[in-house]
Structure formats: structure tokens, C-alpha cells
Amino acid sequence: MKKQMVVVALALAGAVWFKGILAQEAAKPAEGAEVAAAEAAPAEGAEAAAEAEAPKEITALDQWATYIKQGGKTMWFIGLLSILGLGCALERFWNMRRSRIVPDGFSAKVIELWKGGKTDEVAALCRSSKSMLSRVVETMIQHKDSKDYNEVKMFAEDKVGRELRLENRKAAMLSTAATLSPLLGLFGTVLGLLGAFGTVAAMGEMGDASVLADDIGKALVTTVAGLAVSMPCLFVFGIIKNRLNLYAVLLEEEVADLVNQIFVKK
């Protein structure tokens, strides 16, 4: 929960920061026009005025600012989803490593210490590892005095299932972003089309198609933005799910081997 709150806070901070940049970029043309007019009037006359009227080179950031402004408030929600999805993807890739699930050589150390009667050292090894397998071994330690092999196996498998369900839930934000972003894009499309129809109704006839450019642009920009966020999120979500399924198989094999080595082959 704490990690998810951090991701949300970073997403909000990123949205505010990006909005400030866009506001600065939007203010630059007006400031530049005032400075150019002040310099052109007394000094250079017609030549300075011609330079002031020369078109400014449009950068990629200016183009993105234009698209976001054209898309309206819907673009801010799509942008927020993209930041949340990126934060969730980075968190999952960082924590879905093999060392955090099934560390290499961990089972061999546990078996060696356990058979030597050093269960306290096994518990210390689990606390230092902080992996999913170590938490399952801690459950096995709690039932070390059990004489029933099937009972220990049941508790261990139950712990494995709960750990895997918890890890699966942590990727829910990616699924939410992949599902909600195209719906927001469609919402912006409908708003743009409603605006276009309202403009046509107010004019009474289609005299100049350029008056619909803003509304149509809003419809297209939001659709593209929603799909641009949804496709990478869906792709990354599939990678994370496949990786989790692979680690689930490895974890189940390791746990079954541990129970067999410790509680059966004595």
C-alpha cells in the first residue's frame, strides 16, 4: 500500500510539473512578441518589424503542448494514467526479480541448516533474504514440530497461494491504465464530435470547414493519446503476468522439494 501511495504521489507531482512547463511554453510567444515590438519600434523600423513578424520555429515540445491544449482536460487524466502505469511498471520490474521470489541456492542452505538442527539460523536466513520463498519457509518453521507431512505441505501451499495473489494484485494499476485510457480517449472523441455538431447547428450551414478544426482535432488527439497509453501498458502487463506465472511454477517446485527433503527424507 505504501509503494502504491508513493507512485500516486509521484504521478501527481509529475502532472503538476508538466503542466507548469506547458504554461511556460504557452507564455513564451506572448513575451517574445512584446520584446520584439519594443525593440522594433524605435530602432530598426520596417526591418525589425519584419523580423518580429517572422514565424517562430516550432519545436517538438511546442507541438506536444498544442496537442495537449487541443485535447482539453481529458488529456490530463490520460496523462495521469500514463504516469501511474509507468510507476507501476517500474515497481513491478524492480520487485519481480528472481532474487525477490526464488533466490538461487536458498533452498540448499535451508536444507543444510535444518537437517543440522539449526532452525534458529534458518529463521535468521529468512529474515535477511526477504524473498517470497523465505516467507514460505518461515511458515514451515512455525509447524516444524508437526508429524504430519500433508499438514505441513498444506500450510506451505496455502502460503504460496496467498503470496502469489498478493503479487498479482500489485500489477492491477497497469491493467486499469490499459483499460481506462482508451475509454477516456473515446470520451474525448465524443466530446469533440458533440462540439462539432454544436458548431454546425449554431452556424446553420457548413460554410467554412475550418471552424470545425478545433473540435475535430480534440476528438482525434484524445483517441490517439488513449491508445498510445493503453498499448504499452497492456504489453507490459502481459510480460509481468508471464513472469509471475513462471516464478509461480519455480516457487511451487522449490517448496515441494523443501517439504520432501526436510519432513520426509530424514
Side-chain angles (χ1 to χ4, degrees):
M1 180 61 71
K2 291 182 179 179
K3 293 180 179 178
Q4 293 177 351
M5 292 177 64
V6 170
V7 170
V8 172
L10 291 175
L12 293 175
V16 173
W17 172 76
F18 191 60
K19 184 176 181 180
I21 291 180
L22 294 179
Q24 292 178 2
E25 291 294 327
K28 283 182 180 180
E31 295 176 358
E34 293 178 359
V35 172
E39 293 178 352
E44 300 295 337
E47 294 181 359
E51 292 179 359
E53 293 176 358
K56 180 184 175 183
E57 182 180 358
I58 299 177
T59 63
L61 184 60
D62 294 332
Q63 190 66 48
W64 277 106
T66 302
Y67 287 149
I68 293 175
K69 183 179 179 181
Q70 192 174 26
K73 294 182 179 180
T74 306
M75 293 291 291
W76 295 108
F77 291 100
I78 296 175
L80 179 62
L81 281 177
S82 68
I83 298 174
L84 290 174
L86 177 62
C88 181
L90 294 176
E91 187 272 335
R92 287 289 79 204
F93 277 122
W94 176 256
N95 289 305
M96 288 295 296
R97 294 171 293 163
R98 177 157 184 170
S99 60
R100 302 295 295 265
I101 309 295
V102 187
D104 290 330
F106 183 81
S107 297
K109 293 179 182 178
V110 169
I111 293 172
E112 180 182 356
L113 293 174
W114 197 304
K115 288 188 174 181
K118 302 176 181 178
T119 54
D120 292 337
E121 294 186 17
V122 173
L125 180 64
C126 292
R127 289 192 296 269
S128 63
S129 175
K130 297 180 179 180
S131 63
M132 192 181 296
L133 180 59
S134 68
R135 292 191 288 272
V136 177
V137 173
E138 287 177 344
T139 301
M140 294 168 58
I141 293 175
Q142 295 174 2
H143 301 86
K144 63 181 179 179
D145 297 327
S146 177
K147 303 299 182 180
D148 189 355
Y149 158 80
N150 291 322
E151 181 181 354
V152 177
K153 183 179 179 182
M154 179 188 67
F155 282 113
E157 290 177 348
D158 181 66
K159 181 64 174 179
V160 169
R162 283 186 278 119
E163 289 288 334
L164 291 174
R165 287 194 297 271
L166 181 61
E167 290 296 320
N168 190 40
R169 283 189 59 190
K170 292 179 180 178
M173 184 54 67
L174 271 174
S175 177
T176 301
T179 305
L180 192 57
S181 55
L183 294 178
L184 283 172
L186 179 61
F187 177 74
T189 301
V190 173
L191 289 180
L193 294 177
L194 284 175
F197 289 136
T199 302
V200 173
M203 294 179 59
E205 60 179 5
M206 255 316 266
D208 186 4
S210 63
V211 298
L212 303 178
D214 185 65
D215 292 323
I216 295 176
K218 179 179 181 179
L220 296 177
V221 165
T222 54
T223 302
V224 171
L227 293 175
V229 172
S230 176
M231 290 185 290
C233 287
L234 190 60
F235 177 72
V236 174
F237 181 73
I239 293 177
I240 292 175
K241 290 286 289 185
N242 289 333
R243 179 177 293 187
L244 181 60
N245 290 335
L246 173 62
Y247 286 154
V249 174
L250 294 177
L251 181 62
E252 290 172 354
E253 290 178 350
E254 290 285 338
V255 171
D257 184 63
L258 279 172
V259 175
N260 184 55
Q261 292 287 338
I262 295 172
F263 292 92
V264 178
K265 296 181 180 180
K266 292 187 177 181

